Each structure stands twice: as structure tokens, then as C-alpha cells.
Amino acid sequence: MSAPEVFREKSLMRAWSRYHRFQGKTLALVPTMGFLHEGHLLLVRTAKSLADVTVVSIYVNPGQFAPSEDLASYPSDLAGDLRKLSAAGADAVFCPADLYHSSPGDLPIEGEAASCLEDDGSGHETWIRVEMLEKGLCGRSRPVFFRGVATVVAKLFNIVEPDLAIFGKKDYQQWRVICRMVRDLDFAITVIGLDVVREADGLAMSSRNVRLSPECREKALSIYRSLSKAKISAEKGQKNSHELKYLVKQMISEAGGKIDYVEVVEQQGLQPVEEEISCPVVVCVAASFGDVRLIDNVEINI
Amino acid sequence: MSAPEVFREKSLMRAWSRYHRFQGKTLALVPTMGFLHEGHLLLVRTAKSLADVTVVSIYVNPGQFAPSEDLASYPSDLAGDLRKLSAAGADAVFCPADLYHSSPGDLPIEGEAASCLEDDGSGHETWIRVEMLEKGLCGRSRPVFFRGVATVVAKLFNIVEPDLAIFGKKDYQQWRVICRMVRDLDFAITVIGLDVVREADGLAMSSRNVRLSPECREKALSIYRSLSKAKISAEKGQKNSHELKYLVKQMISEAGGKIDYVEVVEQQGLQPVEEEISCPVVVCVAASFGDVRLIDNVEINI
């Protein structure tokens, strides 16, 4: 397997994509923030099976982190990532140093004045808002998160110009936000969501898992166990969303997790289902163990 | 001159564009709201001189009109437009019936719930905000205008996939909003702004001009006269922005115009220049004569 081509410049990345598209090849993009695990590599292998050439982007997007969040401690290992992507057969890797027109710390504050001159005061100021889908679930505790995700993904789409883009459904709300953005803005891109990939013991794969202590990692298994139990319970006839949420909250709390939210929402618009479940739903969880915030979910197709 | 191809469907429009790009041709887009005048046709002729094929879009975008505004009375004449575009040599015209996923009256209100089912409640909800540039000038009295403009232009860019897009600088703020959006979201598109095209007597060409009574039309000449006088005054040494604004306001008010704003702003970020002018500026005006709101501007390059 030959090593992927690595691009740090937008213009070179786009030229490579266009070269391949001009030859009639289809192109898949797998956007990541690096520190790749088996879940990412499954996205890459799926991309390869669906398109002629596969591009993986690696970029920890400052636009989706609030100042209080874990941007600085987000793990990275570019050399390791490139080895894994080479083995997985990625054709190109796009890993820009910066994608914005100002340094991460300089993202403009609403209402802040721009300078008189283009060259010394014109920071990034364009944001894509998916106004309903961005609000609930993770959007409540992370108010700038999804505008940052939507915006950076649109930038990557415009740089790489893929035919397909592949996301993990572990980040369920993110996946729905991207699907809606692509539809609403008429991007000529097919968005594909792949099921959550789990460790042997059920923990959803995440780059953040390495930050869990062994003790917290064991306790964090309560997330998947509770979600599995809720799914089985619903399939056996328990249609009351309060009961299902209670079951999940109880198990995670008892294990020592600090719950951000447990919600039962319909699968398209992610609107809460407050009473009886009567459409396909997804049970979404965000909870912290130690200082590591984890998310997970399970779809229930009734 | 052969008649342009006319497309009403996004997918057919995109297929036509891709067919030409695949042959190595460059493509220019001229976005319009129809009811074309000589200003639009200059954009088309310029597009033809810069690109191999030229697409003109005609779409009165409900996303940029507030409920109180003149969407319903916006003039249209598709048959006349097609004749003019044929004579001007446009290669294709894109005139969709609707570009959004819900009827114009159904654009979602912030916070409104989405339905449980994709098919009966999933309206358009993705908006592009150019957060600083959208606020001043026309953005103050038309708060949803520029998010509507940026969003529909992004949609057109993603459908037509042009190399160039050409706008008139009569809508100066719109042009700057689009330039900034293209830069910030990495669209692979060169944006070109053309100078204001005027009638023989100086009135800036606008589709709205037909709604002016002969008397109002005469009075509306005060806009261009005042802007010309301000420009000459500045070039002769009057650098005080208050004095220049006063001069413009005075002349328009005396002619019976109702002023929305008169501003002196720097040309890139459109930030107000309150005292001495020391960088390239543009004097921007919005004023109503009768019930017709007109805008105009003049650049002063100091």
C-alpha cells in the first residue's frame, strides 16, 4: 500500500481533487480531528469501497470549541495517524495548519469592530447556522459548537469538493446538522452516516477515551450498558420516554457519571419525544467521567 | 445569437454546468432577481468577456425579504428577460420556481418545532451569517436581508458551480458580504464587482425604478447629485465625514426624500468613518421617494 499524499495548503489540496475529478473519478471525504482510532478507519475503508479516491482531513477546528473547552488538551498524533491512514489505504490527507483568516484566539467577538484595512483586522466572520438542529442536546451546553462544525465542514467541502462525505453516527447530532446543511445549501454531496464503532466491552470509540483513567473507563461502560438496556426495554414494549430516560440516567449516575443530558428524540429533527414513542427515535447521552465528557447514542426503530 | 438554454430544475442546471466544466470551459454566474435592465446586461456582457460560458440566474429570493417588505410587488417579466438575455448572449438561464424546502410563507421561525416526520415539517433552517458586514447600513433596517442574500448565493454557487460570479456595486454592502463569505467559506470562486450603471440623468439603474412616479423619479435624482457633490468636495479637500454626510442628507431631504441612512464607511469592512477620512471610503445612501426605497453609493479613493 503506497503512502497517501499529504497536503497542508488549500490550493494544492483542491488542485489534487480536481485533477482526479477531471479524470472522471469519484471522491470521498472523511473529515476528522485526528488521533485516529478504529472507528475512523472504518469510515476510511467504507469511503474506499464507495468512491474511487479517498481524502481524509485532519484538523482540530478551533471554531467549534468555546474558550472553556478542551481545545488545548485535545489529543494529537499526526505521525501515527499517517501510518494508520497509509495502512487503511487513504489516497490523500489534508492537514492544514490553520483554516481561518485569523489565529484561533482571535476569532471575532460579535459586535467587535473590524479594522480599516483588509490586512490587519479582517478576521473570519462567516458562520453557518442550522438553526433548529443546533439548539438541543449538545447545543445547549456547547452553544457555538455546531455553528463551528457546520462552518468548518462547509470549508472542507469547498476545498476538497468531494462527491461523498462520511461521518460517524456516534456524533449523531453533528451528522444530522451536516445532512441538513447539505440539503439546505444544495451542496452536491452525498452524506453517509456509519453506526457507532465500539470497543470489545461496548465503550463507543472516541479520541477522548485515552484521557480516561482506568477506573473512569470502567465506570464509563455504564453509558453503553444503560443504552442497550433501554433499547431492549423499548423493543419489549416500554414506549414511555420518561421511563427509558430514567433507566439510563439511573445507571450512569450510579456508576458515578455526571450527566449533561439524556434525551429521547426523533431521528430527523431531533425534537424531544416527551411521552409515548411513536416514531423512530434515538436515545442520546452526554456524561462526564472525571474531566472527560463522552457522548453516545442508540437508535430505536419503532 | 442563439437563445440561452433555460433550466428550472437544480439538477439539470448542475448537469449542464458540469458538462461544460468537464470540457475544460470556465463558467461565470450572474445572479439576478430578474426584471433586467442595462446594468444587469453589462454584468452579462462582462461575464461573457471573462469566461467561456455564462449563466444568469433569475430568482426573487423570499429568504431576503421581511414580511413587511415588497416581495409581492417586486416587478417581474420573465419573457422580456429571456429576450434581453438572448440578445446579450447568455448561454444558460436558471430560473427555478422555488429554491427552498418549504413555501416562502413557511420559512421557519426561530425556536419553532420541527415535525416528527421529514416529509411534513422540515423547512429550510440553514442560514449563513456574515456577522459584522451584515449589521450596518441596510442591515439595520433590514435585519434578515443579508443572511438571506448570503444563503441564496451560496445555494446558487453550489448548484451552478461557477468559476466567476459577477455582482453590481450598486448593492455595495451585498457585494462585500459575498466577497467575505467566499473568502471565509473557501468557495473556489472569483467574485467581481462592477461599477454602478446609471441612466443618462444619473439615476442608478434598479428594477425598482419602474415603480417611481415621474415626479418621484425627478426628485430621486437628488441622490446621485448629492453623492457626486460629496465626491467632488472630498477630492477638493473636504475630509470631514460629518460635513460630507450633512451635504448629502441636506440635498436629498430638500428634494423630499425620506432618508434611511447616509453613511461614510471604509470600503472593506464597511465600518463607519466618523471623523477625518484617511482611507478609501464609500458614501452609501438609502432613501425612499414615495413608497420606493432606493440605494446608491459612490467610492472616494483617498
Side-chain angles (χ1 to χ4, degrees):
Chain A
M1 198 67 79
S2 64
E5 296 213 47
V6 178
F7 298 100
R8 295 191 162 270
E9 299 295 330
K10 298 173 185 181
S11 57
L12 298 177
M13 180 70 249
R14 184 183 284 131
W16 186 92
S17 282
R18 290 193 166 188
Y19 172 79
H20 286 89
R21 290 191 59 170
F22 199 73
Q23 297 186 322
K25 290 184 182 165
T26 57
L27 202 146
L29 172 66
V30 180
T32 81
M33 300 214 297
F35 209 73
L36 304 177
H37 51 63
E38 188 51 35
H40 296 108
L41 300 177
L42 180 66
L43 302 182
V44 175
R45 288 192 295 268
T46 305
K48 279 181 68 68
S49 74
L50 295 173
D52 298 322
V53 289
T54 294
V55 179
V56 178
S57 65
I58 297 178
Y59 181 61
V60 181
N61 172 31
Q64 72 195 54
F65 287 81
S68 60
E69 292 174 352
D70 61 351
L71 173 61
S73 66
Y74 200 88
S76 77
D77 174 19
L78 185 58
D81 290 345
L82 292 176
R83 275 195 304 276
K84 290 172 189 168
L85 291 173
S86 187
D91 300 291
V93 177
F94 179 48
C95 47
D98 189 17
L99 275 184
Y100 294 92
H101 281 268
S102 58
S103 63
D106 289 332
L107 288 176
I109 292 152
E110 200 158 301
E112 203 175 65
S115 157
C116 188
L117 293 171
E118 180 73 8
D119 286 334
D120 68 355
S122 53
H124 180 95
E125 60 170 303
T126 306
W127 297 102
I128 297 178
R129 311 290 302 261
V130 182
E131 293 194 348
M132 287 188 286
L133 280 169
E134 72 173 19
K135 282 197 208 307
L137 303 174
C138 286
R140 269 199 295 280
S141 58
R142 307 186 73 185
V144 304
F145 183 68
F146 289 110
R147 73 166 207 178
V149 167
T151 302
V152 83
V153 169
K155 286 165 73 70
L156 291 169
F157 284 176
N158 284 337
I159 294 164
V160 178
E161 299 180 336
D163 302 287
L164 298 174
I166 308 197
F167 294 84
K169 282 159 71 174
K170 202 266 283 177
D171 302 294
Y172 199 91
Q173 188 176 11
Q174 168 178 285
W175 173 57
R176 288 297 188 192
V177 163
I178 300 302
C179 289
R180 187 60 55 100
M181 174 183 81
V182 162
R183 187 201 70 170
D184 284 355
L185 297 185
D186 293 303
F187 279 101
I189 296 171
T190 302
V191 179
I192 291 166
L194 294 193
D195 287 340
V196 184
V197 179
R198 300 182 181 282
E199 305 286 354
D201 57 12
L203 185 68
M205 287 193 187
S206 165
S207 302
R208 288 189 171 92
N209 290 353
V210 293
R211 291 176 44 217
L212 290 165
S213 67
E215 191 191 7
C216 281
R217 197 190 173 296
E218 179 60 32
K219 291 176 175 174
L221 295 178
S222 60
I223 297 177
Y224 179 58
R225 287 181 187 143
S226 68
L227 288 173
S228 302
K229 198 163 175 183
K231 186 179 170 79
I232 291 166
S233 178
E235 286 168 354
K236 282 186 178 161
Q238 176 54 273
K239 300 283 190 294
N240 185 292
S241 75
H242 291 292
E243 294 294 334
L244 295 173
K245 284 191 278 187
Y246 180 77
L247 183 160
V248 173
K249 284 180 183 172
Q250 188 84 347
M251 285 178 70
I252 295 173
S253 296
E254 276 174 6
K258 185 163 167 276
I259 291 170
D260 179 3
Y261 63 78
V262 174
E263 294 270 15
V264 177
V265 299
E266 51 87 13
Q267 290 180 9
Q268 296 286 339
L270 308 186
Q271 291 298 304
V273 175
E274 295 295 357
E275 302 293 335
E276 204 77 352
I277 297 171
S278 60
C279 62
V281 296
V282 53
V283 186
C284 294
V285 171
S288 297
F289 289 84
D291 64 345
V292 183
R293 184 175 181 276
L294 300 173
I295 62 174
D296 200 348
N297 68 80
V298 65
E299 287 178 315
I300 300 175
N301 293 307
I302 285 173
Chain B
M1 198 66 78
S2 65
E5 296 213 47
V6 178
F7 298 100
R8 295 191 162 270
E9 299 295 330
K10 298 173 184 181
S11 57
L12 298 177
M13 180 69 248
R14 185 184 284 131
W16 186 92
S17 281
R18 290 193 167 189
Y19 171 78
H20 285 89
R21 291 191 58 170
F22 199 73
Q23 299 186 322
K25 290 184 182 166
T26 57
L27 202 144
L29 171 66
V30 180
T32 81
M33 299 215 298
F35 209 72
L36 304 178
H37 51 64
E38 187 50 35
H40 295 108
L41 300 177
L42 179 66
L43 302 183
V44 175
R45 288 192 295 268
T46 305
K48 279 182 68 67
S49 73
L50 295 172
D52 297 322
V53 290
T54 294
V55 178
V56 179
S57 65
I58 297 178
Y59 181 62
V60 181
N61 172 31
Q64 72 195 53
F65 287 81
S68 60
E69 293 175 351
D70 61 350
L71 173 61
S73 66
Y74 200 87
S76 76
D77 174 19
L78 185 57
D81 290 345
L82 292 176
R83 274 194 304 276
K84 290 172 188 169
L85 291 174
S86 187
D91 299 290
V93 177
F94 179 50
C95 47
D98 189 16
L99 275 184
Y100 294 92
H101 281 267
S102 58
S103 63
D106 288 332
L107 288 177
I109 292 153
E110 200 158 301
E112 203 175 65
S115 157
C116 188
L117 293 171
E118 181 72 10
D119 286 335
D120 67 356
S122 55
H124 180 95
E125 61 170 303
T126 306
W127 298 101
I128 297 177
R129 311 290 302 262
V130 182
E131 293 195 349
M132 287 188 285
L133 279 168
E134 73 173 19
K135 282 195 206 308
L137 304 174
C138 286
R140 268 199 296 280
S141 57
R142 306 185 73 184
V144 304
F145 182 68
F146 289 109
R147 73 167 207 177
V149 168
T151 302
V152 83
V153 169
K155 286 166 72 72
L156 291 168
F157 284 175
N158 284 337
I159 294 164
V160 178
E161 299 180 338
D163 302 287
L164 298 174
I166 307 197
F167 294 83
K169 282 159 71 175
K170 202 264 284 179
D171 303 293
Y172 200 91
Q173 188 176 10
Q174 168 177 283
W175 173 56
R176 288 298 189 190
V177 163
I178 300 302
C179 289
R180 188 58 56 99
M181 174 183 80
V182 162
R183 187 200 71 169
D184 283 355
L185 298 185
D186 293 303
F187 279 100
I189 296 171
T190 302
V191 179
I192 290 166
L194 294 194
D195 287 342
V196 183
V197 179
R198 300 182 181 282
E199 306 286 355
D201 57 11
L203 186 69
M205 288 193 186
S206 165
S207 303
R208 288 189 171 93
N209 290 352
V210 293
R211 290 176 43 217
L212 290 165
S213 68
E215 191 191 6
C216 281
R217 197 190 173 297
E218 180 60 32
K219 290 176 175 175
L221 296 179
S222 60
I223 298 176
Y224 179 59
R225 288 180 187 146
S226 68
L227 288 173
S228 301
K229 198 161 175 183
K231 186 178 169 78
I232 291 166
S233 178
E235 286 168 353
K236 282 186 179 161
Q238 176 54 274
K239 301 282 191 294
N240 185 293
S241 75
H242 291 290
E243 294 294 334
L244 295 173
K245 284 191 279 186
Y246 180 78
L247 182 161
V248 173
K249 284 180 183 170
Q250 190 82 347
M251 285 179 70
I252 294 173
S253 296
E254 276 173 7
K258 186 163 167 277
I259 291 171
D260 179 3
Y261 63 79
V262 174
E263 294 271 15
V264 177
V265 299
E266 51 86 14
Q267 290 179 9
Q268 295 286 339
L270 307 186
Q271 291 298 305
V273 175
E274 295 295 358
E275 302 294 335
E276 204 78 352
I277 297 171
S278 59
C279 63
V281 296
V282 54
V283 186
C284 295
V285 171
S288 297
F289 289 84
D291 65 345
V292 183
R293 185 176 181 276
L294 301 173
I295 61 173
D296 200 348
N297 67 81
V298 65
E299 287 178 314
I300 300 176
N301 294 307
I302 286 173

